[in-house]
């Protein structure tokens, strides 16, 4: 059995998170996800909107995920890899190269992120609704442009 492990905050759970978890699950038979606790996020200088308990429950409910464990600090990874018999440790490409020192214990993989979305971006859009409108107008103009291009192609 191949066990895969990843870590993340998973605040304001979004499509980039689902796609990453789906691709991680394809790397093995069992997916373990370490969800960063509120205390650890504070240490990293991050604040999440959704509490640890709720983020852990949301990630547990994703069908690609078999087990959720708390991520309490930077130092636990080596022990987690041993405790959970991990074969593949994988993170999004924003962490490229950062965990290569664990390669004596298992395979290390970095997966491409989904473009255009992050918890940080969602928080910015929620706190600045005008930017959300600008994005919508831009999308509408792109669609209109495609319609015009198609029409020109037909003539
Ligand atoms: N992730 C991804 N694609 C995105 C956003 C996140 O694949 N568009 C991945 C990250 O690379 C990470 C995992 O999802 O491996 C959890 O990331 P997290 O930091 O919780 O998500 P972000 O949306 O990047 O949050 P933030 O903006 O706070 O960094």
């Amino acid at each position: 059995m191949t066990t895969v492990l990843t870590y993340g905050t998973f605040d304001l759970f979004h499509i980039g998170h689902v796609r990453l978890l789906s691709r991680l699950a394809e790397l093995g038979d069992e997916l373990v996800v370490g969800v960063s606790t509120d205390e650890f996020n504070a240490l990293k200088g991050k604040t999440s909107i959704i509490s640890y308990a709720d983020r852990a429950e949301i990630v547990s409910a994703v069908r690609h995920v078999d087990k959720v464990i708390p991520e309490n600090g930077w130092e636990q990874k080596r022990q987690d890899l041993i405790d959970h018999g991990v074969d593949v440790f994988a993170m999004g490409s924003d962490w490229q190269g950062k965990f290569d020192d664990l390669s004596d214990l298992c395979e290390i993989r970095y997966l491409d992120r989904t473009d255009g979305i992050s918890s940080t971006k969602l928080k910015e859009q929620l706190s600045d609704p005008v930017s959300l409108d600008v994005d919508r107008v831009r999308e509408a103009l792109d669609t209109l442009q495609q319609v015009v291009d198609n029409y020109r192609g037909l003539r």
Side-chain angles (χ1 to χ4, degrees):
M1 183 165 94
T2 303
T3 299
V4 182
L5 174 69
T6 194
Y7 295 96
T9 298
F10 301 97
D11 194 22
L12 299 177
F13 197 86
H14 58 69
I15 192 67
H17 293 145
V18 180
R19 289 188 184 152
L20 181 87
L21 294 173
S22 164
R23 282 182 289 133
L24 287 170
E26 281 170 14
L27 297 178
D29 309 298
E30 181 192 45
L31 175 60
V32 182
V33 182
V35 175
S36 305
T37 61
D38 297 330
E39 292 76 13
F40 182 42
N41 275 337
L43 218 70
K44 289 190 275 186
K46 266 178 119 173
T47 319
S48 61
I49 306 245
I50 311 298
S51 70
Y52 167 74
D54 287 358
R55 287 183 285 112
E57 191 173 333
I58 290 164
V59 173
S60 304
V62 175
R63 71 180 157 88
H64 312 294
V65 176
D66 297 289
K67 199 188 292 174
V68 167
I69 58 169
E71 186 191 21
N72 297 300
W74 296 111
E75 305 307 323
Q76 76 188 66
K77 293 191 175 63
R78 199 160 265 282
Q79 197 57 47
D80 283 348
L81 292 176
I82 297 164
D83 290 349
H84 296 279
V86 173
D87 304 284
V88 183
F89 175 47
M91 296 288 290
S93 54
D94 39 332
W95 294 97
Q96 188 69 44
K98 295 268 162 46
F99 300 107
D100 290 354
D101 58 313
L102 297 167
S103 60
D104 57 319
L105 287 175
C106 64
E107 184 188 341
I108 313 293
R109 298 276 297 262
Y110 303 96
L111 273 56
D112 286 344
R113 285 168 64 91
T114 299
D115 284 338
I117 189 153
S118 71
S119 306
T120 304
K121 193 172 176 193
L122 286 175
K123 282 175 210 170
E124 284 166 5
Q125 288 176 330
L126 289 169
S127 66
D128 178 10
V130 174
S131 73
L132 203 57
D133 288 346
V134 169
D135 279 351
R136 289 221 176 105
V137 170
R138 197 171 289 135
E139 274 170 33
L141 285 174
D142 284 348
T143 309
L144 196 61
Q145 186 67 56
Q146 277 167 21
V147 171
V148 170
D149 289 348
N150 287 344
Y151 177 72
R152 284 204 176 121
L154 288 174
R155 280 203 303 169

